[in-house]
């Protein structure tokens, strides 16, 4: 049976086409990976029913004073592992494709801020928010804690107390509770209420009546 031989020119064209197709496919794969959303997902966010039970169990009382409060009474950020402190640990947890240098500082990556729906590629544009602010915790019972307990609260990676968000949004929030501040992205308010409730419940903090009403309204928007 005769053997059909390709001309050198035809063979070269086919090899070139194959190479171009391979590069194109690889590029498409890289773009697909890069396009994956960066989602900040703190651990321990409860279901709606669990959050409701926790909210019902919280003690309602008038808010305490900020007298004597200082952020220094809540030591942070502490070393978590190697050269990485709490902020750097959350940046890696909540970001996508985060690259760090030898001191664990994030030099590149992508961070999605669920409070406002913005995505950032510079760590300097991202703050680590204490969902229940330190001053709010102080007014809600933490003023009577030991410094060691306040340090654990300020660096809590086991519950939904720390989250990477847009720095300006975090600064606008300040130490406000949900009766006066809620995430600008209304679709996230359900999740925010569940995080706030479970943190206060876990740490035995109190809440005021206006705060409870706001949390209940937010929780009512949850499907589950």
């Amino acid at each position: 049976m005769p053997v059909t031989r390709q001309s050198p020119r035809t063979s070269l064209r086919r090899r070139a086409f194959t190479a171009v197709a391979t590069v194109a496919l690889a590029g498409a794969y890289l773009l697909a990976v890069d396009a994956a959303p960066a989602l900040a997902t703190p651990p321990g966010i409860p279901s709606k029913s669990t959050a409701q039970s926790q909210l019902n169990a919280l003690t309602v009382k008038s808010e305490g004073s900020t007298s004597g409060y200082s952020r220094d009474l809540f030591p942070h950020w502490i070393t978590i592992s190697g050269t990485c402190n709490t902020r750097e640990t959350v940046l890696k947890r909540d970001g996508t494709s985060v690259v760090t240098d030898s001191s664990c500082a994030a030099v590149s990556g992508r961070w999605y801020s669920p409070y406002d729906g913005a995505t950032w590629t510079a760590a300097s544009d991202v703050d680590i928010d204490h969902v229940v602010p330190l001053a709010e915790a102080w007014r809600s019972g933490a003023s009577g804690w030991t410094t060691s307990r306040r340090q654990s609260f300020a660096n809590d990676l086991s519950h939904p107390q720390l989250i990477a968000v847009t720095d300006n949004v975090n600064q606008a929030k300040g130490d406000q509770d949900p009766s006066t501040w809620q995430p600008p992205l209304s679709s996230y308010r359900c999740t925010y209420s569940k995080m706030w409730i479970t943190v206060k419940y876990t740490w035995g903090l109190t809440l005021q009546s206006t705060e409870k009403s706001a949390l209940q309204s937010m929780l009512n928007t949850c499907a589950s």
Side-chain angles (χ1 to χ4, degrees):
M1 185 175 182
V3 177
T4 302
R5 298 184 182 278
Q6 296 176 343
S7 70
R9 181 174 298 175
T10 300
S11 178
L12 182 61
R13 281 201 302 268
R14 288 189 175 181
R15 287 199 299 271
F17 175 80
T18 300
V20 169
T22 301
V23 170
L25 285 171
Y29 174 76
L30 289 174
L31 284 172
V33 170
D34 187 59
L39 299 175
T41 310
I45 300 174
S47 65
K48 178 181 181 179
S49 60
T50 296
Q52 184 64 68
S53 296
Q54 293 175 342
L55 179 60
N56 294 343
L58 286 172
T59 298
V60 178
K61 62 181 295 186
S62 297
E63 195 166 68
S65 167
T66 337
S67 177
Y69 167 74
S70 167
R71 287 179 67 86
D72 294 339
L73 295 172
F74 293 79
H76 65 288
W77 306 113
I78 61 172
T79 300
I80 299 299
S81 176
T83 60
C84 300
N85 65 23
T86 316
R87 170 183 163 80
E88 293 155 349
T89 300
V90 176
L91 283 174
K92 288 198 291 184
R93 182 197 71 189
D94 289 358
T96 295
S97 304
V98 179
V99 176
T100 58
D101 61 20
S102 59
S103 65
C104 202
V107 295
S108 64
R110 292 171 60 247
W111 292 270
Y112 171 78
S113 168
Y115 285 3
D116 58 334
T119 297
W120 304 96
T121 55
S124 58
D125 290 321
V126 178
D127 276 357
I128 305 305
D129 179 41
H130 287 97
V131 172
V132 174
L134 304 183
E136 165 64 21
W138 178 271
R139 296 188 296 261
S140 304
S143 60
W145 292 352
T146 62
T147 300
S148 175
R149 182 168 173 79
R150 286 192 289 262
Q151 175 177 293
S152 296
F153 175 80
N155 299 277
D156 185 3
L157 293 168
S158 300
H159 305 97
Q161 164 65 345
L162 300 171
I163 186 170
V165 298
T166 301
D167 54 359
N168 291 341
V169 173
N170 182 48
Q171 289 154 25
K173 171 186 172 180
D175 64 354
Q176 299 178 79
D177 70 41
S179 67
T180 55
W181 188 92
Q182 297 176 13
L185 196 62
S186 59
S187 59
Y188 197 71
R189 291 176 186 173
C190 158
T191 301
Y192 185 76
S193 68
K194 292 191 291 186
M195 293 194 297
W196 184 286
I197 290 166
T198 202
V199 168
K200 282 219 160 179
Y201 178 82
T202 299
W203 288 92
L205 297 169
T206 62
L207 77 173
Q208 54 186 331
S209 58
T210 54
E211 177 187 348
K212 183 173 183 177
S213 295
L215 287 166
Q216 186 63 68
S217 295
M218 295 163 74
L219 193 59
N220 289 344
T221 68
C222 299
S224 59

